[in-house]
Amino acid sequence: MNGSPVWLASISRRSRLTGKTLATSLWTPPLLAASIALLRRLVGPAGDKTRERVFRMNVTVCLHRALSQDDISQLPPHFFTDPPIDLAGGPVEILEETEVGLLTTRPCHDPVRVPLDPRNPLLWFPGDCRRCGPCQARLALAIERLEGAHAEAIST
Amino acid sequence: MSRLDTLFADYRARALRYPMTRANRLVDPEIALADGVYLGLSANK
């Protein structure tokens, strides 16, 4: 979150009628509120509660909370030396946040709808369009990381 | 502390021991609660 490592908590739900994944766009406001409360209960006292973002994908609703210094002190050393392996794509919708995130955290303006279930048009993964601001920011960051990894590989 | 909160505390401790250095778009459900609710948790870079 703006450079800080985060707790990532996610929740998905299945329809009681069909037993299949219930798309987040169908969650009622009370169900959404209860789900977000459960995510906060899962993260509990950990992290910095003043630095949170709640967003949804089509399968999950997610919470990011910045790690506290106490959390960070418990992380293994490799967490700080290992490079990030890839970059999370954009969410479908940001529901709430305590601080405005980097452009890379914003939803794509016109996402490619990658089907997750061909029988359910509500279940799709938001592929980056690569044209809008957030997508351009994610692409630039991915290129920067690739170039860094390449430079490190050829120097060793 | 309730059993659920104890379970959640155990998951948080495990997430700090085994954090993710990769972005995690779809968190594998680690906790299956009753009635089709699945929770995932990780400490992410």
Side-chain angles (χ1 to χ4, degrees):
Chain A
M1 178 168 284
N2 288 321
S4 304
V6 295
W7 287 101
L8 167 61
S10 299
I11 182 169
S12 64
R13 290 182 179 271
R14 292 185 176 270
S15 163
R16 293 187 185 196
L17 285 176
T18 66
K20 298 187 187 303
T21 299
L22 186 65
T24 59
S25 56
L26 298 178
W27 296 16
T28 62
L31 182 60
L32 183 59
S35 300
I36 294 169
L38 192 54
L39 290 177
R40 290 195 164 110
R41 187 175 175 185
L42 173 58
V43 183
D48 183 349
K49 294 179 183 179
T50 67
R51 303 184 66 204
E52 284 188 345
R53 177 181 304 116
V54 179
F55 59 96
R56 75 171 180 94
M57 307 301 282
N58 285 312
V59 173
T60 55
V61 169
C62 305
L63 169 70
H64 274 165
R65 183 186 293 172
L67 266 66
S68 67
Q69 284 305 311
D70 184 55
D71 298 333
I72 290 170
S73 70
Q74 298 178 59
L75 292 169
H78 76 82
F79 183 85
F80 302 96
T81 56
D82 288 355
I85 297 176
D86 57 21
L87 181 68
V92 170
E93 181 184 5
I94 295 172
L95 301 175
E96 51 181 273
E97 58 186 355
T98 59
E99 61 187 63
V100 177
L102 300 173
L103 194 55
T104 52
T105 68
R106 309 287 97 182
C108 171
H109 297 172
D110 185 22
V112 175
R113 297 187 175 205
V114 181
L116 294 172
D117 179 350
R119 296 164 298 177
N120 188 338
L122 297 178
L123 296 181
W124 48 270
F125 179 83
D128 280 357
C129 73
R130 301 189 183 190
R131 295 185 304 273
C132 69
C135 286
Q136 289 280 306
R138 284 189 281 272
L139 190 57
L141 187 55
I143 291 171
E144 181 185 315
R145 288 179 176 174
L146 273 174
E147 289 175 346
H150 176 68
E152 187 176 335
I154 62 175
S155 68
T156 54
Chain B
M1 191 186 285
S2 72
R3 277 171 37 177
L4 189 62
D5 291 319
T6 300
L7 175 68
F8 288 171
D10 288 344
Y11 270 96
R12 291 195 296 272
R14 192 172 79 175
L16 288 176
R17 279 200 302 277
Y18 307 107
M20 306 286 287
T21 54
R22 72 180 308 147
N24 210 7
R25 299 184 186 194
L26 294 174
V27 179
D28 291 333
E30 293 187 6
I31 311 169
L33 301 182
D35 66 26
V37 180
Y38 296 92
L39 292 172
L41 180 69
S42 58
N44 274 43
K45 194 161 189 168

